[in-house]
Every structure is written in C-alpha cells, then in structure tokens.
Amino acid sequence: IPATFLQDGAGSFTDYVSGSILEYCSVEYGGSLGHRVIWYASYINHCTFSNNKKGVMVQFTEINGDSDPIRLPVKVTNSTFNETSLSVGPNSIVDGNTFINAGVSSEGGIVSNNIVRGGGISGAPSNDESCVSTNYCNNLTISGNFVSGNISGSGNNGAGITLLSGGGGLNQSEGDSQTINVINNYIIGNESDGIYILEAWGAQMCETCYYRNITGNYIADNGGYAIYTNLAGAVTASYN
C-alpha cells in the first residue's frame, strides 16, 4: 500500500496521511546478492542506511487494470545514507538528509536541504506522463544543499551537481519542456566541476525542451569549472 500525503492548493504534497512507511529504521550490510537493499518504498523518514553494497530506490508505480501506470508521490526525509546511495523516481521529495560517501539521483521533484559529502547530486527529469498532478513531477528543483568532496569513479564524474537529459528526452518536442532549478546551494571542494550540465537537445533539434536556471549558488574550490555546459539547451546563470 503506497503512502498518501495531503496536497495543498498549489498541487504540492505535504503531510503524511496513511499507507506504507519506513520510519526509525536501520539497514546495514545488505545488497551482497546484487539487489538494492530497499526497492520501491514510498516514504522513508528518520532511517539510517550504512555500508550496503547496493543502494536504495524510492518510487511507487500503481497499476490500474489495463490503464497506464501512475507514478505516485514519494518522500525521503531526515535520514542518513552512509556508503549507500539513493535513487528516486519522478514526483519525489528528498529533504533534510545526510549522505556520507554516497549520492542522490532524482528523475524529477525536489532535492533540498541535504548534506552530501563524497557522492554528489545528479538529476534528469523523466518527462513521465504517468505522474499524478503535482508541481514535482517532470521538473526538478535542487536547492539549499551542501555538496562537497565528490570524487570520480564507478560512473561518477566527480562533479558536485550533474544535470543530464531527461529519461524521456528522446521523445521531446517543442512546447514539451522541462525545467531544472539549481538554487542557493553550497558546492565546495569537489574533484571536477561544481555544476556539470550535459543535454541531448542538439541531437533532437529541440533547444527549448530543457531550461536550466542556475541562481544564487556558492561554488568554490572545485577541481574543474564552476559551471560546465555542453549542448545544454537554454541555461540562465545569475548571482552565483
């Protein structure tokens, strides 16, 4: 049973109401068989994940008969991830967590107020039409995070924040846009670039499909560029 949340007038989901929840839990030394230690959870709060060989996936897809699947809201809050990375699907909130030698990857939603040391943040909005109606579905906001000490290896490029093409990017067309806002983050001491942006709009002939707003970030002492862009669509960088 998925978790359900209150929804405000702006379409944002807020307080937990009912359904499945992992709360005040501890998961350690899992994933030895190659599977994620948690798969398809819908709400995690005040949990600790330590020294797991595979990470945590948080998304919930509801199937209603023969109809298309629906991506329901999911949340990860107030938790600690030590040597255990987190991946979240579209329609998600990741807020107030601590990541130690671990990172977080989001397909759409909000990643805010987290401490991320040694893993970085990556985002690629999904353009998933199966999301319920919220403000968090196909766009992504990364705000108020402290990101430091990310190093390259195992598919990680060593940047503090990495923005890539959305999962639905190959089907994008004019007027079918996605937006990523990277706002008021501290991005310090990562091995390569502070913010790395690589998109595929050039191959799709769809420059307006991807909007990147990079505003008010403190970016210092990283090993590469402060902001690196390549085929990045429409990028606005200000007050960094």
Side-chain angles (χ1 to χ4, degrees):
I1 300 174
T4 58
F5 305 91
L6 293 176
Q7 192 169 6
D8 63 22
S12 302
F13 60 95
T14 56
D15 296 334
Y16 169 77
V17 176
S18 63
S20 301
I21 180 173
L22 290 171
E23 191 169 37
Y24 299 105
C25 64
S26 180
V27 180
E28 299 180 341
Y29 300 101
S32 60
L33 297 180
H35 301 293
R36 295 182 187 272
V37 292
I38 301 292
W39 191 275
Y40 293 135
S42 56
Y43 186 24
I44 295 174
N45 186 42
H46 287 291
C47 286
T48 299
F49 300 88
S50 299
N51 302 299
N52 297 288
K53 290 188 176 181
K54 289 290 184 178
V56 174
M57 165 63 81
V58 178
Q59 68 177 30
F60 199 95
T61 303
E62 185 177 74
I63 306 296
N64 293 321
D66 295 329
S67 63
D68 292 332
I70 299 173
R71 296 291 186 93
L72 299 176
V74 296
K75 294 178 76 171
V76 180
T77 54
N78 309 310
S79 296
T80 298
F81 295 80
N82 186 356
E83 300 279 354
T84 306
S85 292
L86 170 68
S87 298
V88 294
N91 212 11
S92 60
I93 292 178
V94 179
D95 182 79
N97 304 283
T98 299
F99 296 85
I100 304 168
N101 295 325
V104 55
S105 174
S106 175
E107 292 184 18
I110 293 176
V111 180
S112 59
N113 305 313
N114 303 285
I115 297 172
V116 185
R117 298 181 184 273
I121 297 173
S122 63
S126 68
N127 194 34
D128 192 331
E129 295 180 356
S130 65
C131 292
V132 299
S133 177
T134 75
N135 291 334
Y136 305 150
C137 202
N138 299 323
N139 300 318
L140 175 63
T141 296
I142 300 172
S143 66
N145 302 283
F146 182 92
V147 187
S148 68
N150 192 19
I151 58 175
S152 60
S154 300
N156 186 340
N157 64 8
I161 295 177
T162 299
L163 310 179
L164 301 173
S165 297
L170 295 179
N171 299 315
Q172 288 282 54
S173 60
E174 298 289 345
D176 190 20
S177 64
Q178 300 170 338
T179 299
I180 294 182
N181 295 302
V182 180
I183 304 171
N184 298 332
N185 300 281
Y186 283 83
I187 308 166
I188 302 171
N190 297 283
E191 183 182 52
S192 62
D193 306 308
I195 299 174
Y196 176 88
I197 309 173
L198 178 63
E199 309 294 358
W201 69 263
Q204 301 168 51
M205 302 303 291
C206 183
E207 180 172 356
T208 62
C209 286
Y210 305 101
Y211 296 92
R212 305 298 178 246
N213 173 32
I214 315 296
T215 302
N217 301 283
Y218 183 88
I219 308 171
D221 298 327
N222 299 287
Y225 295 97
I227 302 172
Y228 174 88
T229 66
N230 184 9
L231 297 176
V235 177
T236 299
S238 59
Y239 303 106
N240 297 289

